[in-house]
Amino acid sequence: AQSVTQPDIHITVSEGASLELRCNYSYGATPYLFWYVQSPGQGLQLLLKYFSGDTLVQGIKGFEAEFKRSQSSFNLRKPSVHWSDAAEYFCAVGGPYTGTASKLTFGTGTRLQVTL
Amino acid sequence: GAGVSQTPSNKVTEKGKYVELRCDPISGHTALYWYRQSLGQGPEFLIYFQGTGAADDSGLPNDRFFAVRPEGSVSTLKIQRTERGDSAMYLCASSLSPGNSPLHFGNGTRLTVT
């Protein structure tokens, strides 16, 4: 069965500092990987996705993520965090063996707090 | 354009009652998904539709949960004999196709069972 682990429940960074959110996955083949962001009381917004090809993926709002097959990881990064980035971040995995790339398994999330 | 719309945004009901949660997907999106998110957790898959039919309902927790999409657009998630453990955020998402199209989520319905 597929699974996603986000080891950090809560992270605090200062505005302007760099950010890395960790994600490890378990999947029996090449996965489809996603990062979503959720503001309080809101639905999820897609930040970026990896299906194949270049392992460094660029997303919206200045985020990027790197797929590392050898480490089963898909960490999210941003060089300079803004106060508006404070939210909950979810990593998710899907893929052809689930019947659809859109039947996703989510991690438990990392809550990002940004201090001014 | 309009995104995925879910109504109501909040629903409070008493234990044992029946509830319906509605999802209006993005126009033209053939695939529709329901997820449930408990407090402090990531969303968990419940069911997905391709057109009018439920292509995969393996995530529905028990037979009190049922979902329909009779005309291939709007979907309704129905919960019978609600229990306090059903309290959660119910998220709907749609995608252009069930292949590698990304999910577009609504803002969810927060269900509270008292």
Side-chain angles (χ1 to χ4, degrees), chain A residues 38 43 51 90 100-104, chain B residues 33 35 37 56 98-101 106:
Chain A
Q38 185 178 37
F51 287 157
F90 292 94
T100 164
S102 302
K103 180 184 173 183
L104 302 180
Chain B
Y33 301 77
Y35 283 79
Q37 186 177 20
D56 186 340
N100 59 6
S101 301

Side-chain angles (χ1 to χ4, degrees), chain B residues 8 51 67-68 73 80 88 93 101 103:
Chain B
V68 295
S73 178
Q80 299 177 320
S101 301
L103 294 179

Side-chain angles (χ1 to χ4, degrees), chain A residues 38-43, chain B residues 89 107-108 110:
Chain A
Q38 185 178 37
S39 297
Q42 301 295 310
Chain B
M89 175 76 87
N107 286 339
R110 180 161 296 285

Side-chain angles (χ1 to χ4, degrees), chain A residues 1-24:
Chain A
Q2 61 198 50
S3 65
V4 175
T5 302
Q6 293 182 249
D8 304 305
I9 296 173
H10 186 204
I11 284 183
T12 300
V13 299
S14 300
E15 188 175 39
S18 64
L19 172 71
E20 183 169 28
L21 302 182
R22 295 183 290 166
C23 172
N24 292 97

Side-chain angles (χ1 to χ4, degrees), chain B residues 18-76:
Chain B
Y18 167 83
V19 296
E20 290 189 352
L21 312 179
R22 175 189 167 106
C23 173
D24 202 337
I26 293 172
S27 178
H29 281 196
T30 62
L32 185 147
Y33 301 77
W34 285 98
Y35 283 79
R36 180 169 69 173
Q37 186 177 20
S38 300
L39 203 59
Q41 301 296 314
E44 294 178 310
F45 171 81
L46 295 177
I47 185 172
Y48 104 86
F49 291 87
Q50 175 58 26
T52 61
D56 186 340
D57 64 358
S58 60
L60 294 177
N62 53 60
D63 61 6
R64 295 187 297 105
F65 288 75
F66 189 70
V68 295
R69 194 186 185 198
E71 298 178 356
S73 178
V74 171
S75 176
T76 304

